[in-house]
């Protein structure tokens, strides 16, 4: 893609710059108003907006042409198209003025993160390709490679994340743990020569969709390798299998030739590029990122800015009244407010304890539900094994060696059974767990919203009584801000993985909040089922010397080996059912702890804000009347600045929210 083709990315960047400017200007107003906590939150928000690039995760099984596809996107042959499976190293392609690469080691046992080392671009393949046998897949010393390159696509705020392949269990772990919750788009590369295999569909259904990715781009590569008379049949088959698995249906299923696109760009053959189908993918991706995801990246923080503006509007008349008040009256009123503020501290503690009790109760319920689920799995293993036809087998006269053959067969069976567990877990999560969490969480949020409304009304009454101002927060602007939204904003806003995304800037309510939190739970649980349950510990047992010797002495059949693997697999689930259930419950417990912490922090800051404002005014008054008069004049100027910021923010929100 040439620079002229990035118009939508560039338009988004301009809007993002405008928002950053408004946040910066508002922070200056907040500093002048001594709104320290709110200013600190907005400084974090400013950094987030500036650094929040579009992250595109490219997935696919080995030998699907994924690296060639990424190179075609980048317009250069940057990533090596590996001829054999790779370790679970991720390649992140980012903007850089010069071409360089950083290799990041994995954390060591004491959780110490070693410093990344700079390597030449030509050395990348030495670190990410397996040099010896397949067992090295499970012994990886490196975490990822950051590749910096002066590419127009990346300069426009796009980061390409290349995962080496989904064939190996370790790689699914890596992708699940580190990336699914943070990426803006997923491009799933398949091959038209073996389209929509069961293993690929399992990843989509059991990993990607439960993590909240409902708008996947399916890239059906090597369409040019299909005979002309068979192409329409292949296309219809691909659409029938993939379109139901993405929200935009057939519009998100693309049939391309990545190699033609890459070579066409390297040879400046525009006709070949157009014929490859690559341009359509890029145009749809740009529209999706710059518009749909870009809208969230601006409207979500813009909502935080609106809340801060309203808080500043409320603070100005309050400060003005206190500055004009005689010192003794202000001190007396502040003293009189101490007992109501102490009662609010008790009320804050009661609200936080309510969340804590909810968290404890749901932990017990989920642990029991999860334990029942895990204990139902062993009985299903024997049925699953009846339908398994393995590619690998053990031939006792083979030159390969019995141990290596047993290891391959065992790994194949374990991969199959792990996939079955993932599938069962996905169904249980969607049909049982999600409704349980959603219903209870919505009820909690409704209760919190009601109690927060009473709480902030009391806070506002105390503020009015101390300041003598006749203006409440409901008088400072037309924008409706819910009580729980105000409280969580006081805690820093995005304390639960972008909770403000609900409604894309619409009125924020507890129902939307509950819906936006649930996918976060789903990802935490998905990580547990993929990573926490580790059947690979059976590999050395099944391929060990004693077991192999037993096979040789009894001339056991492949069926016997499969049965033994299945039996031990089922036993491992049965033995660890309660532990696995507790881990699922702990994952939910940890997420709910974030809600508890946010509510606690937000309510505390509401109380602290009253005290800080009065203390600030007392300090100003102690400096003399001349200083007080100057501060009053400054308030009028700050009020006008707020009006300008608010008006410009409204204009920006209207432009971003407008459908394109």
């Amino acid at each position: 893609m040439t620079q002229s083709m990035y118009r939508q990315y560039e338009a988004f960047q301009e809007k993002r710059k405008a928002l950053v400017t408004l946040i910066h200007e508002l922070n200056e107003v907040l500093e002048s108003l001594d709104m320290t906590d709110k200013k600190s939150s907005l400084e974090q928000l400013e950094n987030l907006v500036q650094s929040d690039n579009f992250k595109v995760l490219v997935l696919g099984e080995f030998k699907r042409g994924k690296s060639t596809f990424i190179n075609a996107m980048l317009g250069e042959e940057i990533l090596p198209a590996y001829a054999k499976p790779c370790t679970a190293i991720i390649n992140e392609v980012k903007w850089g003025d010069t071409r360089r690469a950083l290799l990041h080691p994995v954390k060591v046992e004491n959780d110490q993160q070693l410093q990344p080392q700079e390597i030449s671009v030509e050395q990348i393949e030495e670190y990410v390709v397996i040099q010896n046998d397949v067992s090295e897949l499970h012994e990886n010393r490196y975490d990822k490679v950051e590749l910096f390159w002066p590419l127009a696509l990346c300069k426009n705020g796009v980061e390409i994340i290349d995962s080496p392949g989904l064939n190996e269990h370790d790689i699914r772990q890596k992708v699940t743990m580190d990336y699914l919750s943070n990426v803006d788009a997923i491009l799933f590369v398949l091959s038209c020569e073996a389209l929509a295999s069961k293993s690929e569909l399992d990843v989509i259904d059991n990993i990607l969709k439960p993590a909240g990715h409902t708008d996947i781009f399916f890239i059906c590569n090597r369409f040019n390798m299909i005979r002309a008379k068979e192409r329409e049949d292949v296309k219809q088959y691909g659409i029938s299998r993939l379109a139901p698995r993405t929200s935009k249906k057939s519009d998100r299923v693309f049939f391309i030739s990545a190699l033609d696109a890459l070579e066409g760009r390297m040879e400046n053959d525009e006709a070949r590029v157009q014929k490859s189908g690559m341009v359509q993918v890029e145009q749809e991706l740009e529209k999706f990122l710059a518009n749909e995801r870009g809208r969230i990246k601006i409207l979500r923080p813009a909502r935080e800015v609106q809340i801060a503006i309203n808080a500043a509007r409320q603070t100005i008349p309050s400060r003005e009244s206190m500055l004009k008040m005689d010192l003794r009256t202000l001190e007396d009123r502040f003293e009189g407010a101490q007992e109501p503020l102490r009662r609010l501290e008790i009320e804050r503690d009661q609200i936080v304890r309510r969340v804590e009790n909810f968290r404890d109760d749901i932990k017990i319920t989920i642990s029991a539900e999860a334990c029942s689920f895990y204990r139902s799995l062993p009985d299903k293993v024997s049925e699953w094994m009846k339908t398994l036809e393995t590619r690998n087998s053990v031939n006792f006269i083979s030159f390969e060696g019995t141990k290596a053959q047993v290891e391959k067969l065992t790994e194949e069976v374990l991969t199959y059974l792990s996939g079955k567990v993932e599938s069962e877990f996905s169904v249980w999560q969607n049909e049982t767990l999600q409704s349980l969490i959603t219903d209870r969480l919505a009820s909690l949020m409704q209760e919190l919203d009601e109690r927060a409304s009473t709480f902030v009304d009391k806070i506002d009454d105390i503020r009015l009584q101390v300041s003598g101002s006749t203006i409440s927060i409901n008088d400072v602007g037309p924008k409706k801000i819910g009580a729980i939204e105000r409280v969580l904003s006081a805690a820093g806003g995005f304390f639960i993985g972008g909770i403000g995304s609900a409604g894309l800037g619409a009125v924020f309510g507890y129902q939307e909040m509950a819906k936006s939190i649930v996918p976060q739970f789903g990802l935490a649980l998905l990580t547990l089922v993929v990573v926490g349950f580790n059947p690979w510990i059976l590999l050395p047992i099944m391929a060990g010397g004693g077991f192999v010797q037993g096979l040789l002495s009894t001339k056991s059949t492949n069926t016997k080996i499969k049965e033994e693997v299945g039996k031990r697999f089922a036993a491992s689930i049965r033995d660890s059912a309660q532990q696995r259930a507790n881990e699922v419950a702990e994952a939910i417990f940890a997420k709910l702890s974030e809600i508890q912490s946010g509510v606690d922090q937000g309510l505390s800051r509401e109380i602290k804000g009253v005290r800080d404002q009065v203390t600030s005014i007392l300090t100003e008054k102690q400096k003399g009347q001349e200083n007080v008069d100057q501060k009053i004049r400054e308030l009028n100027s700050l009020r006008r600045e707020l009006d300008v910021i608010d008006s410009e923010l409204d204009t920006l929100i209207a432009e971003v929210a407008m459908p394109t």
Side-chain angles (χ1 to χ4, degrees), residues 153-367:
L153 176 65
C154 298
K155 190 172 186 179
N156 278 280
V158 179
E159 297 178 8
I160 307 297
I161 303 166
D162 171 28
S163 61
L166 289 171
N167 305 67
E168 294 299 328
H169 200 266
D170 280 0
I171 296 171
R172 291 213 298 272
Q173 291 181 9
K174 184 60 165 173
V175 172
T176 301
M177 287 190 296
D178 295 346
Y179 288 93
L180 286 185
S181 63
N182 299 316
V183 297
D184 294 291
I186 288 182
L187 277 58
F188 199 108
V189 180
L190 310 96
S191 173
C192 288
E193 296 170 303
L195 195 55
S197 67
K198 183 182 183 303
S199 59
E200 289 170 327
L201 297 181
D202 283 345
V203 169
I204 296 163
D205 294 338
N206 301 333
I207 296 179
L208 303 183
K209 293 181 69 177
H213 290 285
T214 59
D215 202 349
I216 304 169
F217 285 65
F218 292 114
I219 314 300
C220 303
N221 190 23
R222 298 178 180 146
F223 191 52
N224 60 312
M225 301 299 291
I226 303 300
R227 297 175 62 188
K229 67 177 184 179
E230 297 174 356
R231 288 179 187 174
E232 187 58 31
D233 288 342
V234 170
K235 192 171 184 179
Q236 291 305 315
Y237 173 78
I239 290 174
S240 70
R241 301 288 280 173
L242 301 172
R245 290 175 162 86
T246 182
S247 62
K248 295 297 178 67
K249 307 304 179 185
S250 60
D251 289 344
R252 285 289 184 267
V253 184
F254 305 89
F255 295 85
I256 73 162
S257 169
L259 183 59
D260 283 342
L262 173 60
E263 293 182 346
R265 282 181 170 151
M266 294 177 67
E267 298 167 5
N268 294 317
D269 186 345
E270 187 60 32
R272 188 177 180 187
V273 174
Q274 288 291 336
K275 188 177 179 181
S276 72
M278 191 74 185
V279 174
Q280 183 185 1
V281 175
E282 293 166 328
Q283 289 174 343
E284 285 299 313
L285 179 62
E286 180 178 358
K287 182 193 293 186
F288 174 72
L289 292 176
N291 295 325
E292 295 184 40
R293 296 303 301 174
R295 187 176 293 123
I296 294 173
K297 288 179 183 292
I298 291 177
L299 292 182
R300 180 192 295 168
R303 184 61 172 170
E304 293 288 324
V305 178
Q306 285 181 327
I307 296 172
I309 289 173
N310 271 31
R313 286 192 183 283
Q314 182 189 28
T315 299
I316 288 176
S318 175
R319 287 180 69 88
E320 185 174 24
S321 294
M322 288 188 289
L323 284 168
K324 291 178 178 179
M325 192 182 301
D326 66 87
L327 182 59
R328 182 59 183 270
T329 300
L330 180 58
E331 289 174 338
D332 288 345
R333 290 186 176 184
F334 190 37
E335 178 62 29
Q338 296 309 307
E339 181 57 31
L341 287 173
R342 280 192 289 271
R343 289 198 296 269
L344 279 178
E345 291 280 9
I346 296 173
E347 190 170 334
R348 174 201 60 79
D349 185 63
Q350 292 172 342
I351 294 172
V352 173
R353 285 183 181 275
R354 172 67 185 97
V355 182
E356 184 176 2
N357 291 337
F358 173 87
R359 187 188 59 172
D360 292 339
D361 290 344
I362 203 168
K363 178 181 177 181
I364 294 171
T365 301
I366 290 174
S367 179

Side-chain angles (χ1 to χ4, degrees), residues 346-614:
I346 296 173
E347 190 170 334
R348 174 201 60 79
D349 185 63
Q350 292 172 342
I351 294 172
V352 173
R353 285 183 181 275
R354 172 67 185 97
V355 182
E356 184 176 2
N357 291 337
F358 173 87
R359 187 188 59 172
D360 292 339
D361 290 344
I362 203 168
K363 178 181 177 181
I364 294 171
T365 301
I366 290 174
S367 179
E369 290 280 353
C371 190
S372 176
F373 162 74
Y374 276 113
R375 284 175 176 165
S376 72
L377 294 178
D379 292 338
K380 298 178 181 180
V381 172
S382 60
E383 293 300 317
W384 295 340
M385 293 301 295
K386 291 177 182 178
T387 63
L388 173 61
E389 295 183 4
T390 58
R391 297 184 306 274
N392 295 293
S393 62
V394 176
N395 183 345
F396 294 99
I397 61 173
S398 170
F399 291 106
E400 186 178 6
T402 304
K403 181 178 179 180
Q405 293 179 73
V406 171
E407 180 173 317
K408 286 184 178 180
L409 178 57
T410 301
E411 184 164 4
E412 182 181 353
V413 175
L414 290 176
T415 299
Y416 167 77
L417 292 175
S418 297
K420 283 294 192 179
V421 170
E422 291 171 11
S423 180
E424 290 288 319
F425 190 91
S426 178
V427 172
W428 175 74
Q429 177 182 319
N430 293 332
E431 295 181 356
T432 302
L433 194 61
Q434 185 165 314
S435 61
L436 186 155
I437 295 173
T438 301
D439 293 344
R440 296 198 180 191
L441 191 59
S443 177
L444 173 69
M445 287 300 173
Q446 181 177 9
E447 181 183 343
L448 287 179
D449 192 51
E450 292 169 355
R451 297 185 70 166
S453 295
T454 302
F455 185 94
V456 298
D457 284 347
K458 292 177 181 178
I459 281 285
D460 292 341
D461 286 343
I462 293 173
R463 185 180 286 109
L464 295 177
Q465 290 168 13
V466 172
S467 68
S469 170
T470 59
I471 299 177
S472 73
I473 194 168
N474 296 320
D475 302 321
V476 298
K479 303 173 184 68
K480 179 176 174 57
I481 297 174
I484 192 65
E485 182 184 11
R486 170 179 160 181
V487 168
L488 296 181
S489 178
F494 302 103
F495 74 99
I496 305 178
I499 196 171
S501 63
L504 297 185
V507 175
F508 193 93
Y510 61 85
Q511 299 96 335
E512 289 78 13
M513 180 181 295
K515 291 175 184 176
S516 68
I517 296 173
V518 168
Q520 303 285 328
F521 290 133
L523 186 62
L525 299 180
L526 179 64
T527 300
L528 273 176
V529 76
V530 175
V531 181
F533 177 68
N534 184 16
W536 308 106
I537 59 174
L538 296 177
L539 262 178
I541 297 173
M542 300 300 295
F547 183 68
V548 172
Q549 288 300 320
L551 293 174
L552 292 171
S553 62
T554 62
K555 303 295 184 182
S556 297
T557 64
N558 288 284
T559 300
K560 178 63 176 177
I561 297 172
K562 290 191 294 183
E563 288 175 353
E564 185 66 20
V565 174
K567 184 171 70 175
R568 297 194 184 197
F569 183 90
S572 70
I573 296 177
R574 188 180 298 108
D575 294 343
S576 63
Q578 188 61 62
Q579 178 187 347
R580 296 281 81 81
N582 291 342
E583 289 174 352
V584 169
E586 283 291 346
I588 303 296
F589 187 84
K591 275 294 173 186
L592 291 172
S593 296
E594 294 179 23
I595 298 178
Q596 179 181 338
S597 176
V599 171
D600 190 5
Q601 189 177 23
L603 295 174
S604 297
R605 286 187 175 182
E606 288 280 354
I607 297 172
K608 181 174 179 289
V610 174
R611 292 194 169 114
D612 287 351
Q613 280 297 306
V614 179

Side-chain angles (χ1 to χ4, degrees), residues 15 291-292 295 299 504 651-660:
K15 291 181 174 65
N291 295 325
E292 295 184 40
R295 187 176 293 123
L299 292 182
L504 297 185
T651 300
L652 177 62
I653 289 174
E655 290 176 355
V656 173
M658 187 180 301
T660 57

